[in-house]
Amino acid sequence: MGNMKVHHLAPGFWEHEPSLSLGCKRLRPLAPKLHHLPSSSFDLKSFIRPESGPRKLAPSHPNRLSHQVETQPGGTRWNPTQEQIGILETLYRGGMRTPNAQQIEQITEQLGKYGKIEGKNVFYWFQNHKARERQKMKRSSLGLGHSARISPPVTTITLDTRMEIMERSDEDSPYKRKCKSWSFEYLEEESRSPCKEEENRTLELFPLHPEGR
Amino acid sequence: MGNMKVHHLAPGFWEHEPSLSLGCKRLRPLAPKLHHLPSSSFDLKSFIRPESGPRKLAPSHPNRLSHQVETQPGGTRWNPTQEQIGILETLYRGGMRTPNAQQIEQITEQLGKYGKIEGKNVFYWFQNHKARERQKMKRSSLGLGHSARISPPVTTITLDTRMEIMERSDEDSPYKRKCKSWSFEYLEEESRSPCKEEENRTLELFPLHPEGR
DNA sequence: GCAAATTAATGATTTATTCAAG
DNA sequence: CTTGAATAAATCATTAATTTGC
């Protein structure tokens, strides 16, 4: 549940992503966690946003970077630029394995300077990279008993504000649960489906059986 | 792990649901829970909209609701009310297995009438329920060969706008990828750790060692 | 009758797999 | 074949429901 998180409607709210829409789907991030108050209204409504919005983030110049088309065409999947990968790997080597929402947000912001990117891409990158390093390691361990027990030198990198890395365990300890936060997002349906014309049908929610089990 | 949750709301929030039951405990009680708060807030506020305000909606009467106490903010985990579960099960029985973002949003909105809830709770509920039904089925299949091959009647449920149930496959076909939704999540530090006082430390991002192994 | 201790459920995360774009 | 994206399985953790001792 998976994991998810949130917002709304007002125009111009979510920032993320520039316009677009097209075929793509968007997501929504959000949801912070809450510990305390949640504001009342939830924010849930927000989930989806269709569209467009204002963007934000990358302030100025989108640096142009390496390749990457941005225009976005049909939007498909994220295609990281060299710079983005370099930064991510640096972070990974630095010990980061499962960044929290805040960290993801900041990393995304940084990487946004080099090309289009969303928080989920960062999230997935770490998940995949971690998993694949693990496989790779497992595979190679079979082949040889060499151990490179030495841990790599630690480098200090600074990314904007308050981002810190947790301690690094060479191995990446699974299950180290602490607290967490979330964000949820969702993609939007394909919607290519047939009629969608009716915006608010106002149907009723559930029909029957109120049973509560 | 804990986390999130929260509740609170102003008095008169939860509403709906009047009556209730009391003694029944059957399956899930209702309950309110809450503890105090961890606090922390992230700022994802950016994400979310802070609403701040005490707005709220629940108009009128603070009905007494099912119980669910809100008082405490401490958020913990979501505790579904009878009504919420009933609705979710109805949808599940109707064939819904992996609602998309839009659907989650709408379901959340509806369920919000019966108690506090967030989109992620809905998302998780479907994940867990689906998985646990699967286990249950698997377990029982071992015991007996009886088959209850009959599929439950299909019910068509409509939720507000454009929400339709997808076809139902008795079994729930895995990997039927279409679009999806996501979730993001992450941990927040325990923070109980020693100093955390500095909000913006601008720490460095990662410790060193570029070597990743 | 209660409340601590135990157990059963089930909400929330994390890890493992799989699918598919490029 | 590499790797971004998603889903499912495995776990962890917290709360409801029971049980047990006084």
Side-chain angles (χ1 to χ4, degrees):
Chain A
M1 279 176 86
N3 344 190
M4 328 262 166
K5 322 158 146 308
V6 189
H7 326 24
H8 34 1
L9 326 163
F13 235 51
W14 281 91
E15 43 248 35
H16 275 97
E17 273 321 348
S19 34
L20 354 128
S21 17
L22 312 184
C24 336
K25 348 5 229 341
R26 247 126 242 67
L27 318 140
R28 320 174 52 311
L30 276 291
K33 57 275 309 17
L34 341 151
H35 293 58
H36 60 20
L37 42 84
S39 32
S40 3
S41 31
F42 288 61
D43 335 52
L44 284 195
K45 16 196 57 293
S46 35
F47 268 163
I48 318 200
R49 109 301 251 67
E51 103 339 18
S52 55
R55 72 164 333 11
K56 113 196 269 68
L57 311 159
S60 10
H61 42 38
N63 260 328
R64 89 190 18 323
L65 348 64
S66 336
H67 20 95
Q68 172 128 7
V69 177
E70 9 199 311
T71 13
Q72 170 60 59
T76 346
R77 67 185 197 179
W78 168 57
N79 206 15
T81 62
Q82 286 288 335
E83 295 90 341
Q84 292 176 327
I85 289 185
I87 293 173
L88 289 169
E89 294 191 331
T90 300
L91 289 168
Y92 187 89
R93 286 197 297 271
M96 188 174 278
R97 293 291 180 282
T98 310
N100 61 37
Q102 234 177 54
Q103 295 173 313
I104 288 180
E105 195 203 340
Q106 303 212 350
I107 295 169
T108 302
E109 223 166 305
Q110 266 303 310
L111 302 188
K113 295 178 177 174
Y114 306 99
K116 187 172 200 221
I117 187 172
E118 294 180 75
K120 70 168 193 176
N121 304 128
V122 174
F123 171 81
Y124 283 142
W125 188 90
F126 277 97
Q127 290 275 120
N128 285 320
H129 198 69
K130 182 171 52 176
R132 283 158 182 158
E133 279 298 298
R134 214 181 266 146
Q135 305 179 313
K136 197 179 302 184
M137 183 189 270
K138 184 173 298 185
R139 251 197 314 266
S140 69
S141 69
L142 299 177
L144 6 84
H146 70 9
S147 57
R149 250 347 18 183
I150 39 80
S151 60
V154 179
T155 342
T156 304
I157 299 177
T158 317
L159 187 44
D160 255 304
T161 68
R162 70 193 81 181
M163 196 126 175
E164 22 197 311
I165 288 256
M166 29 279 266
E167 70 301 333
R168 98 197 299 305
S169 44
D170 217 25
E171 207 38 18
D172 182 8
S173 48
Y175 295 83
K176 208 194 268 199
R177 232 154 263 223
K178 300 184 161 194
C179 257
K180 80 325 276 35
S181 56
W182 273 62
S183 347
F184 201 173
E185 328 225 349
Y186 269 105
L187 288 7
E188 185 147 294
E189 251 299 325
E190 266 305 312
S191 352
R192 280 69 162 321
S193 41
C195 62
K196 225 58 186 243
E197 69 274 41
E198 357 185 4
E199 293 297 285
N200 303 325
R201 269 146 138 263
T202 322
L203 298 197
E204 65 278 14
L205 215 15
F206 332 78
L208 358 128
H209 326 303
E211 50 183 355
R213 157 234 247 52
Chain B
M1 153 135 346
N3 33 238
M4 347 215 71
K5 197 143 243 51
V6 164
H7 312 37
H8 41 11
L9 328 165
F13 229 45
W14 290 92
E15 65 270 24
H16 297 90
E17 220 0 337
S19 29
L20 269 287
S21 32
L22 339 164
C24 53
K25 345 211 34 327
R26 256 190 193 72
L27 302 176
R28 286 161 127 41
L30 322 164
K33 43 212 6 2
L34 321 153
H35 305 22
H36 43 33
L37 38 83
S39 72
S40 47
S41 48
F42 272 70
D43 321 46
L44 281 186
K45 15 189 74 262
S46 11
F47 280 148
I48 312 193
R49 123 269 246 7
E51 208 109 346
S52 41
R55 63 167 331 359
K56 118 150 314 356
L57 354 137
S60 14
H61 43 38
N63 254 328
R64 54 206 47 340
L65 3 94
S66 335
H67 10 64
Q68 202 129 165
V69 178
E70 25 200 312
T71 8
Q72 241 220 50
T76 349
R77 69 183 195 182
W78 167 58
N79 208 9
T81 60
Q82 288 281 344
E83 296 89 343
Q84 293 176 327
I85 290 185
I87 293 170
L88 289 169
E89 294 191 332
T90 301
L91 289 168
Y92 187 88
R93 286 197 297 270
M96 185 174 279
R97 294 290 179 280
T98 309
N100 61 36
Q102 237 179 46
Q103 296 174 312
I104 288 181
E105 197 207 335
Q106 305 212 348
I107 295 170
T108 303
E109 223 167 302
Q110 267 302 312
L111 301 187
K113 297 179 179 175
Y114 305 99
K116 188 163 206 261
I117 186 172
E118 294 180 77
K120 70 170 192 174
N121 303 127
V122 174
F123 172 81
Y124 285 143
W125 189 89
F126 278 96
Q127 285 284 116
N128 285 320
H129 198 70
K130 181 169 53 176
R132 284 161 180 156
E133 280 298 297
R134 215 181 266 143
Q135 306 179 314
K136 197 178 301 184
M137 186 188 270
K138 184 174 297 185
R139 249 197 317 262
S140 67
S141 68
L142 298 179
L144 4 89
H146 72 8
S147 55
R149 240 13 348 202
I150 39 86
S151 56
V154 178
T155 346
T156 304
I157 300 182
T158 320
L159 190 45
D160 255 302
T161 65
R162 67 193 78 188
M163 193 127 173
E164 18 200 312
I165 291 259
M166 29 277 270
E167 69 302 327
R168 98 200 297 310
S169 46
D170 216 26
E171 206 41 17
D172 185 6
S173 49
Y175 295 82
K176 212 202 262 201
R177 243 159 255 225
K178 296 187 163 189
C179 255
K180 103 230 312 26
S181 50
W182 223 103
S183 8
F184 200 169
E185 0 213 331
Y186 271 91
L187 313 11
E188 175 156 295
E189 261 292 331
E190 256 310 309
S191 352
R192 280 66 164 314
S193 36
C195 61
K196 224 50 186 249
E197 67 277 36
E198 353 191 11
E199 291 297 286
N200 301 329
R201 265 151 140 260
T202 322
L203 298 198
E204 56 287 10
L205 216 14
F206 352 69
L208 341 139
H209 288 339
E211 259 252 24
R213 131 232 283 41

